Amino acid sequence: MTTVDTHCPYCALQCGMAIGAEGTEITITPRADVPANAGGALCQKGWTAAELLTNGERLTGPLLHGNPVSWEEALDHVAARLIALRDEHGPDAVAVFGGGGLTNEKAYLLGKLARVALGTSQIDYNGRFCMSSAAAASIRAFGMDRGMPFPVTDLAGADVVLLAGANPAETMPPFVRHLEGARLVVIDPRRTATARLALLHLRPAPGTDLALALGLLHLAVAEDLVDASYVAARTTGFEAVRTSLASWWPERVERVTGVPVQRMREAVRALAFARNAYVLTGRGAEQHAKGTDTVSAFVNLALALGLPGRPGSGYGCLTGQGNGQGGREHGQKADQLPGYRRIDDPAAREHVAGVWGVRPEDLPGPGRSAYELLDALGTPGGPRAMLLFGSNPVVSAPDSSRIAARLRALDLLVVCDVVMSETAALADVVLPVTQWAEETGTMTNLEGRVLLRRRALAPPPGVRGDLEVIAGLARRLGHDFADDPAEVFEELRRASAGGTADYAGITYERIAGETGVFWPCPEPGHAGTPRPFLDSFPTPDGRARFVPVEHRPPAEEVDDDYPVHLTTGRVLAHYQSGAQTRRIASLTAASPHPYVELHPDLAERLAIEAGDLVRVTSRRGTDEAVARISDAIRSDTVFMPFHWEGANRLTNPALDPASRMPEFKVCAVRVERVS
Ligand code: SF4
């Protein structure tokens, strides 16, 4: 059996795997040459990924209002409707929505489709719901957002790693192998699988991580643990932050967060006395209406202790989606052009317009962010049509019933997907597309390493690649786009050249030969940049910037009507909206249905027993799920996984002012047994 080297279809670790196919048998073998896999590990999602390729629920032909049609008929219909709506209502009547799982080539071509062929400013993607707060905080501190600005293997040399709101033991288990030499400090309201590995577990009330980070930094200053020479040589703005900390004395932080002062003191000392240490944030700290400020507070702590840009130490964000990093670099984001360029930067517009053969003034300006875009669909002045690729917002958007209603209000919803997701089920036109092992393209993993996913087997008849779909629509709109991945990547290289995320020196051949290349890589002879901050930071003065931030309560606080916090997250067996993993037999056997996790004290107060059906109600909606009783959760909080439709009917769409990240991680709910 011949095998093809490729990467996992799921998370941002992008573990390497080899796929073999003989007759109907498809095998998956972990690759030991990919550093992220830590010597050849996969999690259960990776091991079972071959079942995606033979899944009986696969879509194999275009559908128009639920009826099978030919590809020509489907694309002709979509193009004609788009042109008619654009003529009647203007170019912003058409919206495009992408995903953090799309390859770099797809993300790039989707941005070009929106800006050139459709002329719309209305494009954004589901990565806005994922890493956008960490991205915004990194840009304002370091001048660049490369999630982990160091190779994942560097973590093996750490003495201490602080994980704020991250649960890699469930979300990306092979990653934990890189932490085996370190003592872990975990910040999480739940005693997660990761927290159980920790030396220290700090359990703040949901929505108070920012106060906790301020308290930790206050203690570092008070105990004279700040790395003064690093702060003087490599940063600016520390005095303003030091002044702002005065009101966050430890006892006050304990009252706000519930974390004992002694635990905070131990955490700060562990970090400060370590030879090498890292601060890593995840969605638990980031998915808040103050997520950017929360990450800034953790970055301030890391800077005060002299970690970023020092060999063997640093700050990083644990990106979630498979191409969460690359997906935010090449133009499917509302405010962005390829190469991580800003769409409101005249020089950036001129460069990209030159590559695209259009006038800079013809490129639209920034559009709405993901939630704002979804919430505007079908409203007066909002988009009348949406093209949606690689996303399932009916499950994954906050206040999801509202978003489902907005999608239904459209004149035209077109969904490209592999299976009939909850969002595809609402579509006027469903276009069945290829998936990971059936196509070639690049992915940029959580380290900023550009990887090559190779086509390992032919797609089923009747299915087309997203690039073909985009180019097919562009052609009907009067534009000639390449649809071969290698050709699109060559164009992406030119479009990104000179930008922050510069891919100009990266080729498919190099990626294959070197098992990935780190950006920025501005020219063919350049080695790539595994650790971009070692000598200086990409800010005008080369120094990292402290940013003063203030804690504030969650956007929605508990009260008599909604007395319990709800927080949401992931489980080991499932990935994101579950559109893929809920169709894999062994994964659904391991985790068959949604649940509500309650503390025994809360369960007793509410007369709820394990296995009872429980109704959870927020100001936005209701969901029902089975009760699980566990002291791993705080007694003032319930937890629900978000892989099934329902949990996000409850969540709060309050947005972060900088990143426009919704407040997924905390809202107020009422919990009752269903009689
Ligand atoms: Fe796939 Fe992530 Fe699991 Fe690795 S950790 S096998 S990339 S899901």
Side-chain angles (χ1 to χ4, degrees):
M1 181 186 294
T2 54
T3 61
V4 176
D5 285 348
T6 188
H7 293 267
C8 177
Y10 300 117
C11 85
L13 199 55
Q14 283 298 291
C15 294
M17 53 175 59
I19 298 186
E22 200 165 276
T24 55
E25 191 195 349
I26 301 172
T27 59
I28 284 187
T29 320
R31 286 167 63 190
D33 63 319
V34 176
N37 292 47
L42 295 176
C43 77
Q44 90 190 87
K45 296 185 286 289
W47 277 115
T48 55
E51 289 180 47
L52 289 171
L53 301 164
T54 53
N55 196 281
E57 293 186 49
R58 188 72 188 274
L59 295 168
T60 53
L63 298 171
L64 174 57
H65 298 133
N67 301 311
V69 291
S70 71
W71 271 100
E72 300 318 307
E73 217 176 322
L75 292 177
D76 286 349
H77 174 84
V78 172
R81 295 286 290 130
L82 294 177
I83 290 167
L85 288 165
R86 193 176 60 179
D87 289 349
E88 191 179 347
H89 302 284
D92 280 356
V94 177
V96 178
F97 201 83
L102 301 177
T103 62
N104 291 318
E105 292 79 352
K106 294 179 189 179
Y108 168 80
L109 211 62
L110 209 50
K112 184 176 172 183
L113 176 77
R115 273 73 180 238
V116 175
L118 295 166
T120 179
S121 67
Q122 302 297 298
I123 175 170
D124 211 56
Y125 81 124
N126 66 17
R128 185 75 76 162
F129 300 160
C130 203
M131 296 75 51
S132 58
S133 292
S138 286
I139 290 169
R140 68 186 186 187
F142 308 125
M144 174 198 278
D145 157 39
R146 217 191 71 188
M148 276 179 27
F150 46 83
V152 66
T153 44
D154 282 6
L155 292 166
D159 305 309
V160 175
V161 176
L162 181 145
L163 290 152
N167 181 16
E170 290 207 68
T171 58
M172 48 176 72
F175 177 86
V176 177
R177 290 189 176 197
H178 298 290
L179 305 175
E180 278 171 1
R183 288 173 292 147
L184 303 184
V185 178
V186 170
I187 297 175
D188 201 307
R190 297 174 68 215
R191 194 172 66 249
T192 60
T194 309
R196 284 197 285 274
L197 304 174
L199 166 78
L200 264 175
H201 176 201
L202 312 185
R203 302 180 74 176
T208 64
D209 312 67
L210 175 45
L212 180 57
L214 294 172
L216 295 175
L217 185 49
H218 182 108
L219 278 167
V221 173
E223 299 202 357
D224 202 17
L225 298 174
V226 172
D227 185 338
S229 56
Y230 171 96
V231 168
R234 300 212 53 189
T235 71
T236 57
F238 179 60
E239 278 315 309
V241 166
R242 189 213 296 264
T243 306
S244 73
L245 291 169
S247 57
W248 289 100
W249 63 93
E251 291 72 18
R252 181 185 178 205
V253 173
E254 177 174 329
R255 278 200 301 281
V256 171
T257 64
V259 177
V261 173
Q262 183 55 25
R263 302 294 253 169
M264 289 184 241
R265 209 181 297 279
E266 287 166 14
V268 169
R269 288 178 182 171
L271 274 175
F273 294 138
R275 254 180 322 117
N276 293 312
Y278 289 88
V279 172
L280 304 177
T281 61
R283 304 303 83 73
E286 299 162 10
Q287 287 179 321
H288 293 272
K290 55 179 180 295
T292 305
D293 284 353
T294 302
V295 177
S296 283
F298 282 107
V299 169
N300 288 343
L301 175 66
L303 288 170
L305 298 176
L307 306 182
R310 183 149 68 76
S313 293
Y315 161 77
C317 144
L318 291 182
T319 292
Q321 294 195 77
N323 197 29
Q325 177 71 54
R328 63 190 193 250
E329 296 167 2
H330 296 298
Q332 61 176 334
K333 196 158 171 264
D335 52 2
Q336 209 177 68
L337 290 172
Y340 225 133
R341 290 180 156 93
R342 290 179 60 103
I343 201 166
D344 56 4
D345 171 3
R349 294 170 67 85
E350 190 170 341
H351 173 82
V352 175
V355 175
W356 286 348
V358 298
R359 298 181 311 168
E361 57 271 30
D362 291 339
L363 293 177
R368 295 177 172 96
S369 74
Y371 182 79
E372 292 160 300
L373 177 56
L374 293 169
D375 195 35
L377 300 177
T379 61
R384 311 293 322 165
M386 174 170 263
L387 305 175
L388 191 140
F389 292 74
S391 190
N392 189 11
V394 168
V395 176
S396 62
D399 197 359
S400 56
S401 299
R402 180 185 177 92
I403 294 309
R406 297 266 52 85
L407 288 161
R408 284 194 197 96
L410 286 168
D411 295 336
L412 177 70
L413 174 62
V414 181
V415 173
C416 290
D417 211 326
V418 172
V419 292
M420 187 62 84
S421 70
E422 288 79 357
T423 306
L426 303 184
D428 302 286
V429 181
V430 179
L431 302 175
V433 288
T434 50
Q435 57 174 322
W436 114 101
E438 298 162 355
E439 57 189 13
T440 293
T442 58
M443 306 283 282
T444 305
N445 79 349
L446 80 177
E447 309 160 284
R449 193 192 303 253
V450 185
L451 302 164
L452 188 60
R453 264 199 200 161
R454 294 178 182 81
R455 175 176 156 134
L457 59 164
V463 163
R464 288 190 183 176
D466 297 87
L467 295 179
E468 258 183 288
V469 173
I470 297 169
L473 287 174
R475 192 162 52 251
R476 286 165 173 81
L477 295 162
H479 296 267
D480 186 21
F481 286 7
D483 63 3
D484 172 68
E487 267 182 72
V488 176
F489 189 74
E490 288 305 304
E491 191 181 307
L492 180 158
R493 288 176 61 198
R494 286 189 284 119
S496 76
T500 301
D502 191 334
Y503 283 38
I506 304 176
T507 62
Y508 278 14
E509 292 70 30
R510 274 194 69 181
I511 301 172
E514 300 170 33
T515 321
V517 181
F518 289 92
W519 70 259
C521 181
E523 61 220 29
H526 192 283
T529 315
R531 301 173 189 84
F533 302 157
L534 282 187
D535 298 326
S536 69
F537 296 96
T539 55
D541 61 4
R543 292 164 181 250
R545 298 174 284 227
F546 279 93
V547 179
V549 289
E550 263 302 310
H551 176 71
R552 59 261 188 202
E556 184 177 76
E557 296 201 82
V558 293
D559 58 16
D560 289 347
D561 294 331
Y562 302 95
V564 179
H565 297 296
L566 167 71
T567 192
T568 63
R570 285 172 53 180
V571 299
L572 177 65
H574 290 294
Y575 177 69
Q576 306 299 52
S577 79
Q580 295 153 293
T581 52
R582 283 187 280 114
R583 289 174 166 85
I584 304 247
S586 53
L587 298 180
T588 49
S591 191
H593 49 68
Y595 62 87
V596 184
E597 185 178 272
L598 307 94
H599 189 275
D601 293 348
L602 180 63
E604 191 181 335
R605 271 209 311 282
L606 300 173
I608 291 170
E609 293 184 3
D612 282 350
L613 188 62
V614 167
R615 182 178 301 126
V616 184
T617 307
S618 77
R619 287 184 177 81
R620 291 154 294 280
T622 292
D623 189 27
E624 292 182 356
V626 174
R628 277 193 196 176
I629 315 293
S630 167
D631 66 0
I633 187 82
R634 291 170 56 102
S635 59
D636 58 3
T637 303
V638 293
F639 166 82
M640 296 179 75
F642 58 60
H643 308 292
W644 291 266
E645 188 184 359
N648 274 319
R649 279 184 221 139
L650 309 167
T651 50
N652 189 352
L655 298 180
D656 181 289
S659 65
R660 315 309 285 164
M661 165 73 83
E663 183 136 288
F664 285 104
K665 280 294 184 271
V666 58
C667 69
V669 295
R670 184 169 64 238
V671 182
E672 56 209 332
R673 188 162 65 88
V674 178
S675 55

PDB file of all heavy atoms in Angstrom, residues 89 97 107 116 398 400 414 437 476 498 539 542 572-573 575-576 592:
ATOM      1  N   HIS A  89     -29.465  46.198  -5.004  1.00  0.00           N
ATOM      2  CA  HIS A  89     -29.188  46.749  -3.663  1.00  0.00           C
ATOM      3  C   HIS A  89     -27.761  47.251  -3.472  1.00  0.00           C
ATOM      4  O   HIS A  89     -27.431  47.741  -2.391  1.00  0.00           O
ATOM      5  CB  HIS A  89     -29.448  45.683  -2.600  1.00  0.00           C
ATOM      6  CG  HIS A  89     -30.849  45.128  -2.607  1.00  0.00           C
ATOM      7  ND1 HIS A  89     -31.930  45.815  -2.109  1.00  0.00           N
ATOM      8  CD2 HIS A  89     -31.329  43.940  -3.071  1.00  0.00           C
ATOM      9  CE1 HIS A  89     -33.021  45.078  -2.237  1.00  0.00           C
ATOM     10  NE2 HIS A  89     -32.692  43.947  -2.838  1.00  0.00           N
ATOM     11  N   PHE A  97     -18.808  34.480   4.088  1.00  0.00           N
ATOM     12  CA  PHE A  97     -18.414  34.052   5.431  1.00  0.00           C
ATOM     13  C   PHE A  97     -17.498  32.841   5.285  1.00  0.00           C
ATOM     14  O   PHE A  97     -17.853  31.855   4.654  1.00  0.00           O
ATOM     15  CB  PHE A  97     -19.662  33.686   6.251  1.00  0.00           C
ATOM     16  CG  PHE A  97     -19.444  33.720   7.735  1.00  0.00           C
ATOM     17  CD1 PHE A  97     -19.530  34.905   8.438  1.00  0.00           C
ATOM     18  CD2 PHE A  97     -19.146  32.554   8.446  1.00  0.00           C
ATOM     19  CE1 PHE A  97     -19.335  34.954   9.817  1.00  0.00           C
ATOM     20  CE2 PHE A  97     -18.954  32.583   9.821  1.00  0.00           C
ATOM     21  CZ  PHE A  97     -19.050  33.791  10.513  1.00  0.00           C
ATOM     22  N   ALA A 107      -8.691  30.660   1.846  1.00  0.00           N
ATOM     23  CA  ALA A 107      -8.927  31.919   2.559  1.00  0.00           C
ATOM     24  C   ALA A 107      -8.550  33.099   1.661  1.00  0.00           C
ATOM     25  O   ALA A 107      -9.257  34.110   1.590  1.00  0.00           O
ATOM     26  CB  ALA A 107      -8.117  31.951   3.854  1.00  0.00           C
ATOM     27  N   VAL A 116     -12.816  41.591  -5.232  1.00  0.00           N
ATOM     28  CA  VAL A 116     -12.640  41.857  -6.672  1.00  0.00           C
ATOM     29  C   VAL A 116     -13.890  41.474  -7.475  1.00  0.00           C
ATOM     30  O   VAL A 116     -14.443  42.297  -8.209  1.00  0.00           O
ATOM     31  CB  VAL A 116     -11.397  41.107  -7.209  1.00  0.00           C
ATOM     32  CG1 VAL A 116     -11.274  41.275  -8.724  1.00  0.00           C
ATOM     33  CG2 VAL A 116     -10.136  41.606  -6.508  1.00  0.00           C
ATOM     34  N   PRO A 398     -22.863  32.865  18.820  1.00  0.00           N
ATOM     35  CA  PRO A 398     -23.584  33.142  20.060  1.00  0.00           C
ATOM     36  C   PRO A 398     -25.010  33.579  19.738  1.00  0.00           C
ATOM     37  O   PRO A 398     -25.265  34.103  18.658  1.00  0.00           O
ATOM     38  CB  PRO A 398     -22.776  34.297  20.667  1.00  0.00           C
ATOM     39  CG  PRO A 398     -22.163  34.989  19.497  1.00  0.00           C
ATOM     40  CD  PRO A 398     -21.899  33.925  18.474  1.00  0.00           C
ATOM     41  N   SER A 400     -27.565  31.753  19.053  1.00  0.00           N
ATOM     42  CA  SER A 400     -27.645  31.094  17.745  1.00  0.00           C
ATOM     43  C   SER A 400     -29.060  31.039  17.169  1.00  0.00           C
ATOM     44  O   SER A 400     -29.212  30.974  15.946  1.00  0.00           O
ATOM     45  CB  SER A 400     -27.038  29.697  17.824  1.00  0.00           C
ATOM     46  OG  SER A 400     -27.680  28.949  18.838  1.00  0.00           O
ATOM     47  N   VAL A 414     -26.081  30.383   0.286  1.00  0.00           N
ATOM     48  CA  VAL A 414     -25.343  29.333  -0.411  1.00  0.00           C
ATOM     49  C   VAL A 414     -24.325  28.762   0.570  1.00  0.00           C
ATOM     50  O   VAL A 414     -23.524  29.511   1.141  1.00  0.00           O
ATOM     51  CB  VAL A 414     -24.604  29.909  -1.640  1.00  0.00           C
ATOM     52  CG1 VAL A 414     -23.848  28.798  -2.378  1.00  0.00           C
ATOM     53  CG2 VAL A 414     -25.582  30.614  -2.571  1.00  0.00           C
ATOM     54  N   ALA A 437      -8.226  15.236   2.933  1.00  0.00           N
ATOM     55  CA  ALA A 437      -7.307  14.310   2.275  1.00  0.00           C
ATOM     56  C   ALA A 437      -7.596  14.167   0.786  1.00  0.00           C
ATOM     57  O   ALA A 437      -6.908  13.432   0.091  1.00  0.00           O
ATOM     58  CB  ALA A 437      -7.377  12.945   2.950  1.00  0.00           C
ATOM     59  N   ARG A 476     -18.245  33.475 -13.740  1.00  0.00           N
ATOM     60  CA  ARG A 476     -19.610  33.901 -14.104  1.00  0.00           C
ATOM     61  C   ARG A 476     -19.846  35.373 -13.772  1.00  0.00           C
ATOM     62  O   ARG A 476     -20.801  35.978 -14.268  1.00  0.00           O
ATOM     63  CB  ARG A 476     -20.636  33.016 -13.391  1.00  0.00           C
ATOM     64  CG  ARG A 476     -20.719  31.620 -13.991  1.00  0.00           C
ATOM     65  CD  ARG A 476     -21.455  30.645 -13.081  1.00  0.00           C
ATOM     66  NE  ARG A 476     -21.674  29.358 -13.734  1.00  0.00           N
ATOM     67  CZ  ARG A 476     -20.746  28.402 -13.820  1.00  0.00           C
ATOM     68  NH1 ARG A 476     -19.539  28.584 -13.315  1.00  0.00           N
ATOM     69  NH2 ARG A 476     -21.022  27.263 -14.442  1.00  0.00           N
ATOM     70  N   GLY A 498       6.221  41.370   1.513  1.00  0.00           N
ATOM     71  CA  GLY A 498       6.378  42.684   2.155  1.00  0.00           C
ATOM     72  C   GLY A 498       5.415  42.913   3.295  1.00  0.00           C
ATOM     73  O   GLY A 498       5.535  43.884   4.034  1.00  0.00           O
ATOM     74  N   THR A 539       7.850  46.440  16.331  1.00  0.00           N
ATOM     75  CA  THR A 539       7.193  47.713  16.627  1.00  0.00           C
ATOM     76  C   THR A 539       8.105  48.822  16.115  1.00  0.00           C
ATOM     77  O   THR A 539       9.287  48.559  15.828  1.00  0.00           O
ATOM     78  CB  THR A 539       7.002  47.866  18.149  1.00  0.00           C
ATOM     79  OG1 THR A 539       8.286  47.706  18.763  1.00  0.00           O
ATOM     80  CG2 THR A 539       6.054  46.821  18.721  1.00  0.00           C
ATOM     81  N   GLY A 542      11.140  48.805  18.152  1.00  0.00           N
ATOM     82  CA  GLY A 542      11.724  47.491  18.420  1.00  0.00           C
ATOM     83  C   GLY A 542      11.437  46.952  19.813  1.00  0.00           C
ATOM     84  O   GLY A 542      11.936  45.892  20.180  1.00  0.00           O
ATOM     85  N   LEU A 572     -13.089  15.927  24.677  1.00  0.00           N
ATOM     86  CA  LEU A 572     -12.038  15.210  23.960  1.00  0.00           C
ATOM     87  C   LEU A 572     -12.484  14.665  22.600  1.00  0.00           C
ATOM     88  O   LEU A 572     -11.759  14.750  21.621  1.00  0.00           O
ATOM     89  CB  LEU A 572     -11.559  14.048  24.856  1.00  0.00           C
ATOM     90  CG  LEU A 572     -10.508  13.104  24.299  1.00  0.00           C
ATOM     91  CD1 LEU A 572      -9.200  13.848  24.061  1.00  0.00           C
ATOM     92  CD2 LEU A 572     -10.270  11.941  25.268  1.00  0.00           C
ATOM     93  N   ALA A 573     -13.698  14.121  22.537  1.00  0.00           N
ATOM     94  CA  ALA A 573     -14.093  13.374  21.343  1.00  0.00           C
ATOM     95  C   ALA A 573     -14.558  14.265  20.194  1.00  0.00           C
ATOM     96  O   ALA A 573     -14.692  13.782  19.066  1.00  0.00           O
ATOM     97  CB  ALA A 573     -15.201  12.381  21.694  1.00  0.00           C
ATOM     98  N   TYR A 575     -14.982  18.101  17.893  1.00  0.00           N
ATOM     99  CA  TYR A 575     -14.260  19.256  17.372  1.00  0.00           C
ATOM    100  C   TYR A 575     -15.259  20.320  16.933  1.00  0.00           C
ATOM    101  O   TYR A 575     -16.200  20.034  16.167  1.00  0.00           O
ATOM    102  CB  TYR A 575     -13.397  18.815  16.183  1.00  0.00           C
ATOM    103  CG  TYR A 575     -12.643  19.944  15.516  1.00  0.00           C
ATOM    104  CD1 TYR A 575     -11.593  20.587  16.179  1.00  0.00           C
ATOM    105  CD2 TYR A 575     -12.986  20.374  14.242  1.00  0.00           C
ATOM    106  CE1 TYR A 575     -10.915  21.620  15.581  1.00  0.00           C
ATOM    107  CE2 TYR A 575     -12.299  21.409  13.634  1.00  0.00           C
ATOM    108  CZ  TYR A 575     -11.271  22.033  14.300  1.00  0.00           C
ATOM    109  OH  TYR A 575     -10.597  23.062  13.701  1.00  0.00           O
ATOM    110  N   GLN A 576     -15.098  21.525  17.431  1.00  0.00           N
ATOM    111  CA  GLN A 576     -15.889  22.699  17.059  1.00  0.00           C
ATOM    112  C   GLN A 576     -17.391  22.396  16.985  1.00  0.00           C
ATOM    113  O   GLN A 576     -17.943  21.871  17.930  1.00  0.00           O
ATOM    114  CB  GLN A 576     -15.351  23.289  15.748  1.00  0.00           C
ATOM    115  CG  GLN A 576     -13.863  23.602  15.800  1.00  0.00           C
ATOM    116  CD  GLN A 576     -13.481  24.624  16.851  1.00  0.00           C
ATOM    117  OE1 GLN A 576     -13.827  24.514  18.010  1.00  0.00           O
ATOM    118  NE2 GLN A 576     -12.737  25.637  16.470  1.00  0.00           N
ATOM    119  N   PRO A 592     -21.807  10.773  23.340  1.00  0.00           N
ATOM    120  CA  PRO A 592     -22.973  10.683  22.461  1.00  0.00           C
ATOM    121  C   PRO A 592     -23.887  11.891  22.445  1.00  0.00           C
ATOM    122  O   PRO A 592     -24.620  12.096  21.479  1.00  0.00           O
ATOM    123  CB  PRO A 592     -23.732   9.462  23.007  1.00  0.00           C
ATOM    124  CG  PRO A 592     -23.260   9.291  24.418  1.00  0.00           C
ATOM    125  CD  PRO A 592     -21.904   9.897  24.509  1.00  0.00           C
TER     126      PRO A 592
END
